[in-house]
Amino acid sequence: MNRFLEDLAAENRTAPSSRLAQSALAMARGQGRQQARQDEEGTAMLERLPNTPPPAPFSLDFYVDGVVKRLNRSAAFVRNDPRSKGVRMASVHFRISPDGSLKSFAVLNAGDQQDEIAFIKSVVERAIPFAAFPPDIARAARSLGITICISPEVGGGFGFARMADDRPC
């Protein structure tokens, strides 16, 4: 029995470290590919500075909530024709610099929503400047990206809202 337990202990000393290392490398490669794909698409939420700790998720959530509220307030002052709604999905992405200025605005998928895209661009331009990044986010990020999904309306109502992170447009 002791020999059996010693053999198991010897196996666990050598094998798991290499398997664990290989597993960790595979996960890191997968995350790297996902981040590269998001960077290519321009949809990465936070453009991080190298070798910096990530900002507190609580702080980032509060900042994004503030951006959403500012967009909703600005939308009240931009004219929008409710009759010009398309029937296909669309999405836009914009980036905010640490000082609150607009870094970029890009149409990811236009669908048949050109009028809605123009409306959202006007809302974003009217909302500028956003608040400057809080210190922990400013230390960790070059910019913050926001993706807005434009879906054909089923019911009434309007407003910008946050979606779950894993839910695509």
Side-chain angles (χ1 to χ4, degrees):
M1 182 68 155
N2 282 341
R3 193 169 15 137
F4 174 73
L5 292 174
E6 287 172 1
D7 287 344
L8 285 178
E11 276 183 38
N12 284 336
R13 275 189 228 119
T14 58
S17 62
S18 64
R19 278 186 267 154
L20 183 60
Q22 289 172 350
S23 175
L25 283 172
M27 287 176 62
R29 283 186 199 108
Q31 288 177 344
R33 281 188 219 106
Q34 181 182 8
Q35 183 65 41
R37 187 175 60 251
Q38 287 178 335
D39 289 343
E40 264 180 31
E41 295 170 356
T43 59
M45 183 175 184
L46 202 58
E47 183 183 5
R48 298 269 313 275
L49 292 169
N51 302 323
T52 58
F58 191 67
S59 176
L60 189 58
D61 282 346
F62 267 119
Y63 186 80
V64 172
D65 285 343
V67 168
V68 170
K69 286 178 186 173
R70 184 157 178 106
L71 288 171
N72 281 323
R73 280 193 303 259
S74 295
F77 298 100
V78 177
R79 186 180 165 107
N80 188 22
D81 183 8
R83 295 173 292 163
S84 63
K85 305 268 188 239
V87 293
R88 294 193 314 230
M89 292 289 292
S91 58
V92 297
H93 184 81
F94 65 95
R95 291 201 156 282
I96 303 170
S97 297
D99 63 356
S101 62
L102 183 66
K103 185 173 184 176
S104 66
F105 185 93
V107 177
L108 300 177
N109 175 21
D112 58 352
Q113 304 280 354
Q114 289 79 9
D115 292 336
E116 285 296 300
I117 291 170
F119 168 71
I120 289 173
K121 186 170 185 176
S122 297
V123 168
V124 170
E125 289 171 347
R126 180 160 180 89
I128 296 170
F130 295 99
F133 288 176
D136 64 326
I137 297 175
R139 280 190 300 270
R142 286 189 180 116
S143 67
L144 173 72
I146 307 284
T147 300
I148 298 176
C149 300
I150 305 166
S151 62
E153 273 199 77
V154 176
F158 169 80
F160 295 97
R162 293 184 64 179
M163 290 177 25
D165 292 334
D166 59 345
R167 188 172 156 210
C169 284

